[in-house]
Every structure is written in C-alpha cells, then in structure tokens.
Amino acid sequence: MKVLLLGGTGEARELAGLLAGAGVDVVSSLAGRTADARVPVGEVRVGGFGGAAGLAGWLREHPVDAVIDATHPFAAMITANAFSATREVGVPLLVLRRRGWAAEPGDNWHWVETASAAAELLPELGTRAFLTIGRQGLDAFAGTGLWTLARCVDPPQPRPTWCTLILARGPFTVADEERILRDHTIDVLVTKDSGGPATAAKLTAARGLAIPVIMIRRPPLPAGPEVVETVEAAVQWVMRASHSPST
C-alpha cells in the first residue's frame, strides 16, 4: 500500500507516523511555504505540483493506491486540485479535516466569509485588533486605520509597515494569549475557523476578557470525496483500502 499524503499540518505528521508504523509506504508532500517546517516520518517531497494537471501527471508517473488531503482547512485550492486530479487518474481520495471550533457560553463571535469582510466589520467592534490569520489575507486590513497586531509563523514579504508583527508558532497557552491581549490592550480578535487545540487558547482568553471575535468561515469542500475529522479515522480508511480487492 502506497499513499500520497498532502499537507504539513500536525494531523498530517501524526498520520504519516502511524501509517509508516503500520507498514504503509507514505510520501508526504509539503508546499514549502513555511520556513523550518516540521518534517514528517518517511519520504518527503517539497513544492507544488503545478495545479490539478501537474498533480495528475505526477500520479501517473508515481502510482499510488490512495491520496489523503490533510492540508490546512483553508487550503481550498490544494483540495480542489487534489479532487480534480484524483478523479481524472482514478485514485481514491480521502480528505482529513479537523473539526471546526464551536462557540461556547460567553463567546461573542461574529462570522464572516472572507478576510475582506472581516476588515470591513472590524471598526464596528473595536479600535485595537489582534490578527491571527497567518500571512495570507493580511493586506485586506491595511486600510482599516486601526492599531493592529498581527501574528504569523513566517514574516510576510514585503514586511508590512501598517501593523505590529510578532512571529510565533503554536501551540499557545491561555496564559500566553491573555498576556498578549492585556499587554497590547486588544479589544477585538480576528481569526480563521482553523479548528484544533494548538491555537484554540486565544478563544478561551478572549472569552475570559469579554473580547469580541471575528471568525472567518472555512471555504466549502468539493462535493464527492470522503471526509473524516480524525487521524484515527484516516488510518482506518487506509487499512480498509489496503485489504480491498482493488488495492
């Protein structure tokens, strides 16, 4: 059994380790956009495929029994390309997507569809913003006129001059997030519905400090591929596929 695993997420790294331990030949593909990315177990390739057509060509040249898309929930283009390419080549596709966050009592969340919509709403909710949306989409907030703190893993290029930038990689603790919110007198938080525990502490901190949150919705998944929410379910899917007559 050979699997192409797309994504540099924590779930992708965990899945690569479990599959390799079960005797599955795993090729992990990383986009290469993050400096000093954490490398998973097994064979690793870095860089894009060149869209859906490029991925389809790669799959023809490097036959695999299945493709698992374990990319970030907001990597919509990669997911769309994976769906198109695997359908063209006839390779099974599984999408691993961690469950999104759910508001709890005391939360004051405002859902929007895009970063631009978040930037438009922002001045109505506060005057000192904390952006935790990564590098992509930051430019949408350049014209708000608000004091802005932005946190990224790697610095945007060119480096923005309209905001204060901090570079950090999760996981973060609630105490860490509360310290940032208090020290910078933040009165509104902007984030994406990434889900997962690694960066959820900011939501707990915002709830405790009664800070409103602008939450950007995930892009929709393409209709067709099977979707699971946990690494364990993905392992089970691969094990079933490895024992099917067609594999």
Side-chain angles (χ1 to χ4, degrees), residues 4-7 27-31 33 45-59 62 67 71 78 81-82 85:
L4 173 63
L5 179 54
L6 307 176
V27 180
S28 293
S29 178
L30 309 182
R33 296 173 182 167
R45 70 172 301 279
V46 179
F49 292 94
L55 177 55
W58 189 93
L59 290 172
H62 307 81
V67 175
T71 55
I78 298 176
N81 289 341

Side-chain angles (χ1 to χ4, degrees), residues 99-113:
R99 184 173 299 180
W101 289 315
E104 299 183 12
D107 284 328
N108 180 13
W109 289 8
H110 302 260
W111 289 91
V112 296
E113 302 298 323

Side-chain angles (χ1 to χ4, degrees), residues 68-119:
I68 301 178
D69 172 14
T71 55
H72 191 276
F74 282 80
M77 184 59 69
I78 298 176
T79 300
N81 289 341
F83 176 57
S84 177
T86 53
R87 184 173 56 177
E88 178 182 336
V89 178
V91 176
L93 171 67
L94 178 72
V95 178
L96 170 58
R97 282 292 181 276
R98 69 180 82 115
R99 184 173 299 180
W101 289 315
E104 299 183 12
D107 284 328
N108 180 13
W109 289 8
H110 302 260
W111 289 91
V112 296
E113 302 298 323
T114 64
S116 296

Side-chain angles (χ1 to χ4, degrees), residues 175-200:
D176 292 335
E177 302 293 54
E178 287 181 344
R179 187 176 305 111
I180 288 177
L181 296 174
R182 292 183 187 276
D183 289 350
H184 296 279
T185 324
I186 300 298
D187 58 9
V188 59
L189 170 68
V190 182
T191 193
K192 295 178 176 179
D193 182 22
S194 299
T199 58

Side-chain angles (χ1 to χ4, degrees), residues 116-157:
S116 296
E120 184 176 350
L121 176 62
L122 189 54
E124 300 179 18
L125 298 176
T127 60
R128 296 179 64 85
F130 183 27
L131 308 182
T132 61
I133 63 171
R135 292 178 293 173
Q136 297 184 17
L138 275 186
D139 288 346
F141 298 86
T144 64
L146 305 182
W147 187 91
T148 303
L149 176 69
R151 181 170 66 198
C152 307
V153 174
D154 296 313
Q157 297 297 332

